[in-house]
Amino acid sequence: MTRERPKALKAEAIALRLADCPGWALAEGKLRRDLKFPDFSAAFGFMARVAMIAETLDHHPEWSNVYNRVSIELTTHDAGGVSALDFEFAARLNRLLDAS
Amino acid sequence: MTRERPKALKAEAIALRLADCPGWALAEGKLRRDLKFPDFSAAFGFMARVAMIAETLDHHPEWSNVYNRVSIELTTHDAGGVSALDFEFAARLNRLLDAS
Amino acid sequence: MTRERPKALKAEAIALRLADCPGWALAEGKLRRDLKFPDFSAAFGFMARVAMIAETLDHHPEWSNVYNRVSIELTTHDAGGVSALDFEFAARLNRLLDAS
Amino acid sequence: MTRERPKALKAEAIALRLADCPGWALAEGKLRRDLKFPDFSAAFGFMARVAMIAETLDHHPEWSNVYNRVSIELTTHDAGGVSALDFEFAARLNRLLDAS
């Protein structure tokens, strides 16, 4: 499968898309969402699901975890900025959270 | 830490404890619970959490997964039957499901 | 993305492909591999990686785990038998094991 | 089980223990190890195993992942510094890496 290389979105396009992407914000040029769970078990169960999204999209987050907190940053290094692929990732992650 | 070796519970004791352990049944001499999730992602996220319970208790299930279904069987091989440790595992797993 | 529906392979084609797929055998009409790891931690770490393969291919195994043992069965229900997709899964899983 | 509260180790004791703890260094008052794996799959398979250590010890790392890199920081908040518990975690993590 060939996939078109994602391009960096311009600031206006990012702002428009963020309006449809609850929980996410632009921080230091990346999409960012901070999450809090009841405990470590819930946080890591969620991370296992995010890992499967990452491999499915072949697009991987910059993320960190401290006990029940998970912070996720998304950017597309090849594109030099936030691309449609980051918003696709964010949307999938939101669907996963909505269904929990 | 030394831990007392768990002993196999008698049929009457198992029946009493099962009354307090919703979702579980005795099947072929083991505690068994069959679960169904929305999809594979949800099922495996749950399995990652069960794996942490297993390592914490140093007691491991016999379990299987097919897409969104997970079947869990618990027995204590050293004891030759169902022990208090299996009910401890089942109770923790139930708390995890209740909180989801 | 539209993907062609996989078709069940005939016995001869399965036998040919199995020759290139070390560790796997045909059992009750499914591809099967039984694995043994040093302990539960290693077994489940492997399972987390297999789960990512499953989601990437949108093709999921029938699998079970008991402590350090993992058994994996592959079949394509839509096709009514073993398909090229099962061999793709088996090959990816073998690459993962070879690299460990 | 009652467990004695861990105490912060003094600089000299930390230095002595670090000598027996390859791969780890003291950075900003925490034990730190940076790891690199072949790919995301290998990195996350490892993380699933670290998560089980964390729950077993009831002691959780501050950690981050970017593709094939995992950074782990250990400190004991209750103790206000690095404690024996952090070295126990680091030793278990090293045994896991040595066995891979």
Side-chain angles (χ1 to χ4, degrees), chain D residues 18 24-34 73-74 82:
Chain D
L18 273 174
W24 294 83
L26 195 68
E28 298 179 34
K30 300 171 184 173
L31 295 190
R32 181 182 178 108
R33 183 160 185 181
D34 296 311
E73 290 183 333
L74 302 172
V82 171

Side-chain angles (χ1 to χ4, degrees), chain B residues 9-21 87:
Chain B
L9 296 168
K10 295 187 178 160
E12 198 170 279
I14 291 173
L16 272 172
R17 286 173 179 250
L18 274 174
D20 282 334
C21 200
F87 279 103

Side-chain angles (χ1 to χ4, degrees), chain C residues 4-90:
Chain C
E4 210 177 331
R5 288 173 63 92
K7 292 170 193 160
L9 295 167
K10 294 185 179 163
E12 198 169 279
I14 292 173
L16 271 171
R17 285 174 179 250
L18 274 174
D20 282 334
C21 202
W24 294 84
L26 195 68
E28 300 180 33
K30 298 172 185 171
L31 295 190
R32 182 183 176 107
R33 183 161 187 181
D34 296 312
L35 295 159
K36 194 175 173 181
F37 296 88
D39 54 24
F40 178 79
S41 166
F44 195 77
F46 170 78
M47 290 173 74
R49 302 181 67 180
V50 173
M52 292 187 272
I53 295 177
E55 284 288 90
T56 301
L57 293 179
D58 193 15
H59 188 55
H60 300 84
E62 303 176 11
W63 55 342
S64 62
N65 161 246
V66 181
Y67 192 57
N68 64 335
R69 293 168 190 275
V70 178
S71 293
I72 301 171
E73 290 183 333
L74 302 172
T75 187
T76 306
H77 287 283
D78 289 352
V82 171
S83 77
L85 193 51
D86 298 305
F87 280 103
E88 168 67 15
F89 197 117

Side-chain angles (χ1 to χ4, degrees), chain A residues 38-46 48-49 52 96 99-100, chain B residues 38-46 48-49 52 96 99-100:
Chain A
D39 54 24
F40 177 79
S41 165
F44 195 77
F46 170 78
R49 302 182 67 180
M52 292 187 272
L96 190 156
S100 298
Chain B
D39 53 24
F40 178 79
S41 166
F44 195 78
F46 170 77
R49 302 181 67 181
M52 291 187 273
L96 190 155
S100 298

